[in-house]
Amino acid sequence: MSRFSNALYGGYGAYELKSSYQRNLLMGSLFGLALVVFIVGATYLYQVITEEETVYVQQRVIKTVADLGPPPTVSKPKPRVDIAAPTKAAPKVGIPKPVKDEDAVDEDVVIASREELADIVAPDISANAGAGEDIVVDIPMEEYMPAPDEFVPVEVPAEMIYEEVPEYPRLARSAGMEAVVWIKALVDKNGEVKKAMILRSSGSKAGFDEAALEASYKCKFKPAIQNGRPVSIWVSYQVEFTLEDTN
């Protein structure tokens, strides 16, 4: 090697580099150690900050049913209340009677029950007839006529056994018109039609409604049965007017 090259690289063996590498190695080691210490310290500090307080609960081990002990009571003792004896006489049972305000007496009166009313003799209403009082008369079920919209419970409904064929309107037959009319009739205990009305009209003025209504009074029914006895009831049925039946 020439002198020029020796001068360029500091001579044989590079003494300047050998003299400084130990210092650089020491500084690098210290820097790495400081970095490790910083990471470990930061991790520990983070765990300390985020760590929740641990609550230790004492556990009781149950091995048998006897270790459970008696169950707590759910009933509360009822407070004792002293009730004083009544100072007034027992209330009287009877039927209220209208009186004037000045004749009214402040008394304890109990309304009689149905059983107690049965033991009381009803007053004679003939003496009060025409005195302006409302007299209610109980009508037997056999003579009672229900309203058209009243529901009457029966075991056996009324059944038509004879239907009177209505007279076909002459003008409607000539015009080739047909129709259906619904009739609602009141059938008494004898199966006779006492009242009748148009439940659903034919929608025309050709005389179908009038003919069906007139024929309904001649129909015969098997009366409805309630508690083993015939009763009055409203029934509904339809009347068909067809030209085939008239040919």
Side-chain angles (χ1 to χ4, degrees):
M1 184 178 293
S2 62
R3 295 178 180 180
F4 178 75
S5 60
N6 291 334
L8 181 62
Y9 293 102
Y12 180 79
Y15 292 107
E16 293 181 359
L17 295 176
K18 291 181 179 180
S19 61
S20 62
Y21 87 92
Q22 293 182 353
R23 182 185 59 190
N24 295 335
L25 178 62
L26 178 61
M27 292 181 62
S29 300
L30 293 176
F31 179 76
L33 180 61
L35 182 60
V36 172
V37 172
F38 175 76
I39 294 175
V40 173
T43 304
Y44 177 75
L45 182 61
Y46 175 78
Q47 292 179 354
V48 171
I49 294 175
T50 58
E51 183 179 7
E52 297 180 356
E53 184 180 359
T54 305
V55 179
Y56 296 95
V57 180
Q58 185 178 1
Q59 297 181 353
R60 180 183 178 185
V61 180
I62 304 298
K63 295 183 179 180
T64 61
V65 180
D67 296 338
L68 294 175
T73 178
V74 295
S75 61
K76 296 182 180 180
K78 297 182 179 180
R80 183 176 178 180
V81 180
D82 296 333
I83 302 175
T87 57
K88 296 183 179 181
K92 301 178 181 179
V93 177
I95 301 177
K97 298 180 180 179
V99 296
K100 297 181 180 180
D101 295 340
E102 55 271 13
D103 297 336
V105 180
D106 188 9
E107 295 182 350
D108 291 336
V109 178
V110 177
I111 303 301
S113 62
R114 181 177 300 180
E115 292 76 9
E116 293 170 339
L117 287 176
D119 298 335
I120 300 177
V121 179
D124 185 9
I125 62 175
S126 59
N128 298 327
E133 297 183 0
D134 295 336
I135 300 175
V136 179
V137 179
D138 188 11
I139 302 176
M141 193 62 188
E142 294 81 3
E143 301 178 6
Y144 176 73
M145 297 296 176
D149 57 347
E150 182 178 352
F151 173 74
V152 179
V154 295
E155 291 84 7
V156 180
E159 181 182 358
M160 181 181 292
I161 56 179
Y162 169 74
E163 182 178 4
E164 176 73 11
V165 178
E167 182 180 358
Y168 210 102
R170 182 174 57 84
L171 296 178
R173 187 189 324 167
S174 301
M177 298 176 59
E178 296 182 347
V180 175
V181 180
W182 279 87
I183 298 294
K184 190 169 187 179
L186 175 60
V187 180
D188 63 3
K189 63 177 182 177
N190 298 320
E192 303 288 341
V193 177
K194 305 300 291 183
K195 295 180 181 180
M197 64 179 63
I198 301 296
L199 180 62
R200 185 179 301 173
S201 174
S202 63
S204 65
K205 297 182 180 180
F208 292 112
D209 297 349
E210 293 77 3
L213 189 63
E214 182 181 356
S216 64
Y217 286 93
K218 300 179 182 179
C219 296
K220 301 296 181 180
F221 288 82
K222 185 177 180 180
I225 303 300
Q226 180 189 77
N227 296 328
R229 297 179 300 176
V231 293
S232 302
I233 191 173
W234 286 87
V235 297
S236 302
Y237 67 95
Q238 68 175 5
V239 180
E240 297 182 0
F241 291 87
T242 59
L243 294 174
E244 297 178 357
D245 298 338
T246 60
N247 295 335

